[in-house]
Structures are given as C-alpha cells and as structure tokens.
Amino acid sequence: MNTPAFSSASPRDTGIGPPAPCPQGPGADAAHVVRTEQAGLDALARAFETPHTLGNAFAQALDILLALPGRVVVTGIGKSGHIARKIQATLASTGTPSLYVHPAEASHGDLGMIQRGDAILAFSNSGETTELGDIAAHARQTGLPLLAVTSRADSTLAVSATVALTLPSTPEACPMGLAPTTSTAVQLAFGDALAVALLRLRGFTATDFGTFHPGGRLGARLRTVRELMHTGAAIPLARPDTPMRDIIVEMTRKALGCVGIVGQNGTLAGLITDGDLRRALDHDLTTTLAETVMNPRPLTIEPDVVASEALRAMNERARPVTSLFVLDAQRRPVGVVHIHDLIRAGVG
C-alpha cells in the first residue's frame, strides 16, 4: 500500500466537473438541479453494475465489513462530513455497529475512539482532504482497513486506502460548479446502498429494526403483536358445544367483540364475532350451539408479526375485522389483538 502525504487540493484537483448550462427562472432552475443530480445517481447505478469500476470494490468492502469484529468508524469533513454522519446513523440503526469521528477532533485525542478490530469509512469527494491525514495514518499504523469513498481514483486518500470506492465524477448542480450538490447526493446514495446491502446480508428483519426504533410512530408500527395482545384469562374462549346464550355472556365479559371456539386438543376450531351473534338472534339461543354459528376459517395471526402488518391484515378484508386471534405454531390461541389496541399504541 502506498502512503503518500495528504496535501491541499487546488481547484483542478477537486474532482468537480464543469457546471452544466442552467436555464432561466426559479422553476426551471429547480428542475435543472434535480435533473443534474439525477444524472449523477444514474451514473452511480451504472458504476455499481460495472465490475471493473465500482462493483468489485463494493463487494470487497462488504466482505471486510461483514467480517469486522469491531465497528465501522465513519468520517469526513465539510459537506462530506454531514453525509458521513447520516450514513453512520443509518448503519447503526440497521444492524451495523458504527460511530462518527470528526477528523479535526481525531487529531486532538479522538483517535482513541478508534480501536483494533474497527474499520474506517472515509468520505471525501476530492480525496485530498488534509484533515483526514491523521486518521489515514492511524489506520496504516494500526493495520485497520481504510475504505475510501471518493471521486478521484488517483487521489491521496484512494491510493492510501485498503479499498478505494471510486464514485463517478459528475457536474455539480451549482451554476458555478463549486457547491457540493450532485457529489453529496451521490455520496448519500452510495452510503444508503452500503447500509442496505449489509442489512440484507446480515438477515436484518423488521423486528430487529423495531428494536432500534422504539420511539414515535415508527416504533409503534414496528412493535409486535405479542407486545399488544390480550393474554391468559382475558382471552374469550368456549367449546363447540357451548350454547349461544353462554357465548353472549363470554363475549360481554371479555369485551373484545369475539369468542374463540377451541376443540378438545386446544386448537382454534372457529370464531364467533359480534356480527355472527347478531345474525344468530333469530335462533333459540339456549339450544343453538357455537359450532353451528362459528366461522371455521377465521383470519388469525402469529405473535411475532409486527403491529403494522396486523393492521394491514384487518383493513384488507371486505368485511371489517376488529379482532385477530393470535395462534402459536400448534394453532393454539395465545392471545387476541383488537384494533383499538393498535390505535392506542399509535399504529393506526
């Protein structure tokens, strides 16, 4: 690995392309910015699909990060630093332990945050950011993998890296071709692609995601049915030979709008809802048995399904569903989740 010294970049070393012609008028200007950045993202997608450009390097980076015993230390300064902070947060919330280290603070003691077993993911569009010099040198001295995200394959950062992740160099959307716009959009998309690829390879699930997002509406939607369901004595249950008169008593006492009918082996044989009860009112409720009224194929759910999926299942039925029986692997009732439980939890 070559170890050239970092140097200050001249304007020609920035990796920023010349500005594209810009139309007149606020609306046209805005559309021009979006299309310019979109062109940069299209170039990034093509680079991922081309092995000899970004594809092979991306695969190497994934192998390193998946086998990593420590954390991903994400770094960058300026606009690249803001992108690095966002990518670090995305990695952490999707199952990849990570932290952000500011390059300037690293030179004043924060290098101590970087430990053996970590890897460094450094963002710099030009690859000539002087503030990254001490972190790159620390990586060399301690033998830590350095993954460089830059648009210049011949830059100091790229040459000194374990893996150089060279992004396509496309024109900035700024009319002067100077303000980081397209380049930061491409960096952001690259970082998201990296986080999602790691998420998939780790087998990270929606339940895992909910563990890291317990607060707010997102946290509520990712809570599991098990956390919200009524259990034990609160579950309304009866046998198939129970008279409908007693079903009314059980349904009223448990106040969930349904009664589960269980067979001798304890599995769910059917369900009676308040709608089924209304339709049976023209029968003799003292002699009519539950098995003649129950729905033998009710909608049910498993306990570890996320709450948002339970709500979706309720809403997809042509006939309104307000309660779901929760069954274990042997189809035995372990709980009931009511739509009001989901709404109170903030899922609806």
Side-chain angles (χ1 to χ4, degrees):
M1 184 191 304
N2 295 325
T3 56
F6 276 63
S7 61
S8 298
S10 67
R12 286 180 293 178
D13 291 332
T14 61
I16 300 171
C22 188
Q24 299 296 316
D29 288 350
H32 169 76
V33 170
V34 173
R35 292 195 181 99
T36 303
E37 295 190 357
Q38 185 176 32
L41 296 176
D42 288 340
L44 176 63
R46 291 192 296 272
F48 275 125
E49 296 168 344
T50 307
H52 66 271
T53 55
L54 184 57
N56 286 342
F58 188 69
Q60 293 173 28
L62 289 175
D63 288 342
I64 289 172
L65 296 180
L66 282 171
L68 199 67
R71 306 151 304 170
V72 182
V73 179
V74 191
T75 190
I77 201 165
K79 304 302 185 293
S80 292
H82 295 306
I83 297 298
R85 286 182 184 274
K86 188 273 176 188
I87 297 307
Q88 181 275 315
T90 301
L91 288 169
S93 70
T94 53
T96 298
S98 60
L99 73 156
Y100 174 80
V101 173
H102 193 286
E105 297 296 337
S107 301
H108 296 275
D110 280 3
L111 282 176
M113 299 168 65
I114 307 173
Q115 304 172 359
R116 292 192 182 277
D118 293 344
I120 297 170
L121 178 64
F123 285 81
S124 171
N125 186 44
S126 69
E128 300 293 346
T129 306
T130 56
E131 291 87 351
L132 289 173
D134 287 339
I135 289 183
H138 183 70
R140 291 194 300 270
Q141 293 163 5
T142 55
L144 302 184
L146 173 61
L147 312 180
V149 183
T150 175
S151 65
R152 290 281 304 276
D154 60 348
S155 65
T156 304
L157 181 63
V159 170
S160 64
T162 310
V163 178
L165 298 147
T166 308
L167 307 183
S169 181
T170 57
E172 302 287 7
C174 163
M176 299 175 292
L178 296 175
T181 47
T182 307
S183 59
T184 49
V186 169
Q187 286 180 337
L188 180 62
F190 170 85
D192 286 343
L194 182 68
V196 171
L198 289 169
L199 175 155
R200 290 185 183 277
L201 291 169
R202 294 185 195 279
F204 195 79
T205 67
T207 301
D208 298 324
F209 196 78
T211 300
F212 297 130
H213 297 77
R217 184 179 177 86
L218 177 59
R221 290 180 63 82
L222 292 172
R223 292 178 69 181
T224 63
V225 169
R226 188 188 300 276
E227 297 175 71
L228 300 174
M229 68 186 187
H230 302 263
T231 62
I235 306 175
L237 297 173
R239 295 290 183 185
D241 58 356
T242 304
M244 285 301 297
R245 179 186 58 190
D246 296 335
I247 294 294
I248 294 174
V249 174
E250 178 71 355
M251 189 180 296
T252 303
R253 184 165 57 236
K254 302 299 174 63
L256 290 174
C258 62
V259 175
I261 308 303
V262 293
Q264 293 295 328
N265 58 0
T267 62
L268 187 72
L271 184 70
I272 297 176
T273 66
D274 50 6
D276 298 321
L277 177 60
R278 286 192 297 272
R279 287 185 287 272
L281 288 177
D282 57 349
H283 295 72
D284 184 349
L285 299 183
T286 61
T287 59
T288 302
L289 303 182
E291 60 187 353
T292 65
V293 177
M294 71 182 188
N295 173 10
R297 291 182 296 276
L299 181 65
T300 61
I301 202 162
E302 297 175 357
D304 292 321
V305 172
V306 294
S308 58
E309 179 65 18
L311 183 62
R312 184 194 63 77
M314 289 178 175
N315 290 333
E316 281 187 347
R317 282 295 179 99
R319 215 179 254 180
V321 174
T322 58
S323 294
L324 291 175
F325 258 74
V326 186
L327 307 183
D328 64 13
Q330 287 74 45
R331 293 194 56 77
R332 294 175 303 201
V334 294
V336 179
V337 61
H338 194 278
I339 193 168
H340 291 166
D341 303 321
L342 302 177
I343 293 172
R344 278 194 295 268
V347 179

